[in-house]
Amino acid sequence: MATLSLTCSLPLQPPSSSQSQSRKLIDSIVSTPFQYSSSSTTSSNGSLKPIVVDGDPPTFVSAPGRRIVAVGDLHGDLDKARCALETAGVLSSDGQSLWIGGETVLVQLGDILDRGEDELAILSLLKSLDIQAKAHGGAVFQVNGNHETMNVEGDYRYVDNGALDECIDFLEYLDKCERNWEEAFVSWCAVSARWKQDRKVSQNYWAQWNLVKRQKGVIARSILMRPGGPLACELARHGVVLKVDDWLFCHGGLLPHHVAYGLERLNREVSRWMKGPSEEDDSPQIPFIATRGYDSIVWNRLYSRDGPELENYQLEQVQYLLEETLQSVGAKAMVVGHTPQPMGVNCKYNCRIWRIDVGMSRGVLDSSPEVLEIRDNKARAIRSTRDRSSELQVADYT
C-alpha cells in the first residue's frame, strides 16, 4: 500500500497488570505509550512538515499543524456521504468529486457497507480523494467497522438489494476496464450513477427475473468481498484503529486489553485475514479480539451508552477504562462511530470520548450529516442543513 512516509515501527508495551481487572469491569457492565512530539509544526521554508505514517495498515500518524475532520457511518448513502464531505470542507460541491481540503487530514470511521445501495461508489470516492489529497499535502484515512468485517466473513444479512446490483454492475465495469482494478475502482464513483440508471430502466422489463438477479448479486458480492477478493484486499489497506497525533479513532471503542494485545498487531492480523490465504499463511484466522464479541474494537458500545441504563458506579467504571486506554497510548481523546446518536455529534466523560455516528444514511435515521472538526486540539461539530452549513461549537480543549 502506498503511504506518505514510513518510519520504523514503535511497538507498544502492555499496560500494567490491570488487564484482568479491566475485563472484569467490562463483563460486569454487559507499557510504554506511543507519543509524537515536536517543538514546531512547520519546516524551515515555512510549509507544514510532512505527514508521517507508521504501520501497515496505518496505525500511528503524525500530521503536525493539520486540520483533522472525522466522518462517521455512511451505510451506502452516496448523497449523504457527499453532503458530509462537503460540510467537512474537503469535497467540491460542483459534482466533480474534487478534493478542496488542502492539507486537511480526513478520517472516516467505517460502516460504509450495508443498509444502502451505493457502497462501492462511496469507497471509490474516498479512494479518489485520498489520491488527490496526497498531492496537496493532506490525506484520507479509513478504519474498518463491523459491517466491513461482516461482509468479508460472508454475512450479508443487512445488504440492500441495490447494493447487490451495484456489485453486478461493478464487475461488468471491471471487465470493460480490462480487469485493471485501480483504474476501475478509482473511476467508479464518476460512472456509477449512469450504470444505476441504465440498470433501473432494464429492471422494469426483467422484473420476473429479480430472484435470479439477487442470486447473481450474492455471487458477485462474494467474488468481490470474500477473503482474498479484490474489494476485501482494498479494505485490508485500512486498520481497525488509528492514532492521529493526540487523537484515537476506531469504529466501536478501544479498551485496555486491546492496547495490551498491540494496536499494530491487531491491524496487521485483520488485514492479513482480509487478504486471504498466502504462501506464508494458508488459512489466516479472523482476530476475535478485534472483530467479534461485544467488547471487540468494531462492536464495542461501552462508550456510547448513556443513563438511565447505567448506574453512577458503572459510569465511573467506564470512565476509568477510557482513561486507562487513553493514557496507555498517549492520546487526549477517542472518536468513535457505530452507535447512532439522535442528538447529533456529542462528547462525554469530560469530552474524552466523541460519538460521531449521527445515523445520516437513509437506511438508518436519515438525519442531517454532521462531522467533527479538530484544530489545534480543539474540537467542534459542523452540521449540514443541505441549504447551508451551520457551525456548532461543542467543546474546546485548552
Side-chain angles (χ1 to χ4, degrees):
M1 181 188 72
T3 56
L4 301 175
S5 179
L6 290 177
T7 60
C8 60
S9 177
L10 294 175
L12 286 167
Q13 297 290 334
S16 59
S17 59
S18 59
Q19 178 182 349
S20 60
Q21 179 186 7
S22 300
R23 296 303 300 272
K24 290 179 181 178
L25 290 176
I26 299 166
D27 292 337
S28 72
I29 300 176
V30 197
S31 140
T32 302
F34 171 93
Q35 290 182 308
Y36 172 80
S37 61
S38 174
S39 58
S40 174
T41 61
T42 58
S43 59
S44 57
N45 61 9
S47 61
L48 292 176
K49 289 185 175 180
I51 294 172
V52 177
V53 179
D54 182 34
D56 184 15
T59 305
F60 301 106
V61 176
S62 66
R66 262 67 171 192
R67 169 181 178 257
I68 303 170
V69 288
V71 177
D73 306 33
L74 298 173
H75 281 301
D77 192 327
L78 180 60
D79 183 45
K80 292 292 185 72
R82 285 186 175 277
C83 186
L85 295 171
E86 291 171 16
T87 301
V90 298
L91 177 67
S92 62
S93 59
D94 57 4
Q96 297 301 306
S97 302
L98 299 177
W99 174 265
I100 60 171
E103 295 178 300
T104 297
V105 171
L106 169 68
V107 182
Q108 199 284 320
L109 291 183
D111 274 13
I112 292 172
L113 302 183
D114 291 339
R115 305 186 190 279
E117 61 180 16
D118 292 307
E119 310 159 313
L120 303 187
I122 297 174
L123 290 168
S124 170
L125 176 60
L126 290 173
K127 179 78 170 185
S128 173
L129 291 177
D130 181 37
I131 295 171
Q132 298 177 59
K134 287 176 180 176
H136 291 85
V140 176
F141 296 99
Q142 297 170 239
V143 296
N144 288 316
N146 60 303
H147 284 269
E148 280 72 41
T149 60
M150 288 168 66
N151 275 269
V152 176
E153 283 189 89
D155 185 344
Y156 300 157
R157 76 183 98 162
Y158 299 109
V159 178
D160 186 273
N161 283 339
L164 295 177
D165 293 335
E166 188 189 27
C167 290
I168 298 173
D169 291 347
F170 180 75
L171 284 182
E172 293 180 11
Y173 181 66
L174 183 59
D175 284 337
K176 287 184 176 293
C177 293
E178 298 180 343
R179 312 300 295 178
N180 184 323
W181 172 263
E182 290 295 325
E183 176 187 340
F185 186 61
V186 172
S187 62
W188 178 246
C189 63
V191 302
S192 63
R194 175 173 55 82
W195 278 72
K196 180 164 61 171
Q197 182 60 36
D198 292 345
R199 178 220 314 151
K200 288 186 175 180
V201 171
S202 65
Q203 274 180 341
N204 292 330
Y205 181 78
W206 293 105
Q208 66 269 32
W209 296 103
N210 281 348
L211 179 59
V212 174
K213 192 165 187 179
R214 178 175 174 81
Q215 293 173 334
K216 183 180 178 182
V218 170
I219 293 171
R221 195 173 188 85
S222 178
I223 291 171
L224 288 168
M225 295 192 184
R226 65 191 176 196
L231 189 56
C233 289
E234 193 68 40
L235 295 175
R237 299 186 182 201
H238 317 302
V240 292
V241 59
L242 179 74
K243 183 173 183 280
V244 182
D245 295 335
D246 295 330
W247 292 76
L248 202 57
F249 300 89
C250 57
H251 182 67
L254 201 68
L255 296 164
H257 67 281
H258 300 140
V259 179
Y261 192 82
L263 304 190
E264 286 189 83
R265 179 184 175 188
L266 284 164
N267 281 345
R268 283 196 306 267
E269 289 182 355
V270 174
S271 178
R272 186 163 59 243
W273 162 68
M274 287 184 167
K275 290 177 181 177
S278 64
E279 293 181 0
E280 294 78 18
D281 189 351
D282 59 3
S283 184
Q285 298 297 310
I286 180 171
F288 188 94
I289 189 174
T291 62
R292 291 181 176 175
Y294 68 92
D295 62 349
S296 62
I297 296 175
V298 301
W299 282 100
N300 177 26
R301 298 186 193 273
L302 195 66
Y303 302 131
S304 299
R305 298 172 64 187
D306 287 316
E309 59 180 309
L310 294 181
E311 301 290 343
N312 287 338
Y313 79 92
Q314 292 175 316
L315 292 172
E316 291 173 0
Q317 291 173 339
V318 174
Q319 184 164 6
Y320 168 79
L321 292 176
L322 175 61
E323 292 293 340
E324 182 180 350
T325 302
L326 294 175
Q327 183 178 7
S328 64
V329 296
K332 181 166 290 187
M334 187 187 307
V335 184
V336 300
H338 187 44
T339 304
Q341 305 291 309
M343 74 290 291
V345 170
N346 64 87
C347 63
K348 194 174 178 64
Y349 303 115
N350 298 320
C351 284
R352 301 278 270 171
I353 190 78
W354 288 82
R355 291 93 66 95
I356 70 167
D357 175 13
V358 297
M360 70 179 80
S361 170
R362 284 166 290 182
V364 186
L365 299 180
D366 195 19
S367 60
S368 295
E370 295 184 39
V371 301
L372 183 71
E373 179 190 65
I374 303 166
R375 286 180 183 266
D376 300 322
N377 272 337
K378 297 180 180 179
R380 66 178 177 181
I382 308 177
R383 174 180 298 164
S384 169
T385 59
R386 288 203 169 272
D387 296 327
R388 58 187 175 82
S389 295
S390 58
E391 296 181 352
L392 304 176
Q393 194 76 23
V394 177
D396 284 342
Y397 284 110
T398 58

